[in-house]
Amino acid sequence: MSRIVHIALKCENMEDLEKATKFYNDIFGIYTTKEKHARGHLSRHMTDGNIDLALMLYDSEDEKEAKLAGPGIQIHHIGVEVADRPSMIKKIEDNGGTIFSDRAEGALKYFSPDGTLGEIVAAGRYPVKERSKLSRIANVSYNVKNLDKSVDFYKNVFDFAELPSAKRGQRVLTDGQTTLTFNEGGDRPAIISWGLAVKDPAAVAEQVAKHGGTVVPGGFRGPDGNIGELVKVA
């Protein structure tokens, strides 16, 4: 089974990126590992020790990759670690996906059949590090137009297993550590939120406003403008 190793959040400006860096470090113990500029954007990489969180700032909305997931603030894409890139590229295309990136790139972006963006990376690109004591990145949630098509793609390509869901119009997959939640509906296919498991969601919610975020039902909106869910550690 492949493994989810990366989530990229698109920020609007450098001020918000700096605020978000401090926000995720102070509340969730997600710490910075490196920073680089490539393909028209700055990426500040952080981690909970298991999954890489990239805060991205594009030089311009006119950059080639800037609007791939939609204009403005977005959860831009997830990254999946795979063992064999050539065979995985074939599986993506055989299951209705399309490759966007130059095939020589280390992080190879694809569009799934529902139109959402992801990327595949080789093992070791985002190595496991010291785990945060405050949180664990636990979930990514999507809105999709065709629930069955979206779920079948991730099951068939990455061998993600399906978990039971109590909600109608929702299906949940897992790589064994992190879940992908697919909801049928919304204005357009999109990654709508990412989720963090914490010991006391209510106590964490109280810290959100003090650190520059906004409390919303079920979670928060970070200084970067993206929605995060708060769930209790199982």
Side-chain angles (χ1 to χ4, degrees), residues 28-87:
F28 300 105
I30 297 175
Y31 55 93
T32 302
T33 57
K34 62 181 180 179
E35 183 175 303
K36 66 177 183 178
H37 187 281
R39 301 190 310 280
H41 70 277
L42 172 73
S43 292
R44 179 168 296 165
H45 291 269
M46 307 179 73
T47 188
D48 66 350
N50 182 50
I51 292 179
D52 177 84
L53 175 69
L55 302 178
M56 303 196 313
L57 179 62
Y58 281 89
D59 298 342
S60 164
E61 280 288 284
D62 294 326
E63 292 292 342
K64 182 180 178 181
E65 296 183 8
K67 297 179 183 178
L68 289 181
I73 294 166
Q74 298 286 334
I75 302 177
H76 197 259
H77 64 270
I78 67 166
V80 183
E81 181 181 272
V82 301
D84 185 341
R85 278 169 51 108
S87 65

Side-chain angles (χ1 to χ4, degrees), residues 118-129:
E119 67 183 21
I120 56 173
V121 301
R125 184 179 179 89
Y126 302 114
V128 172
K129 296 181 179 292

Side-chain angles (χ1 to χ4, degrees), residues 137-225:
I137 298 174
N139 180 63
V140 181
S141 292
Y142 291 74
N143 278 349
V144 297
K145 294 298 184 183
N146 188 315
L147 192 59
D148 292 340
K149 182 185 290 186
S150 300
V151 169
D152 286 348
F153 174 81
Y154 280 93
K155 289 173 72 172
N156 294 337
V157 174
F158 299 114
D159 295 326
F160 291 163
E162 187 158 9
L163 299 175
S165 174
K167 294 183 179 180
R168 185 177 181 181
Q170 181 183 88
R171 293 175 69 180
V172 181
L173 302 180
T174 183
D175 67 355
Q177 300 182 68
T178 309
T179 57
L180 297 180
T181 300
F182 295 89
N183 304 286
E184 196 161 42
D187 296 334
R188 61 180 178 83
I191 304 175
I192 56 172
S193 64
W194 61 300
L196 291 138
V198 296
K199 293 180 180 178
D200 188 340
V204 171
E206 290 181 0
Q207 293 296 312
V208 166
K210 297 177 183 178
H211 290 81
T214 304
V215 176
V216 300
F220 64 90
R221 187 183 296 276
D224 51 291

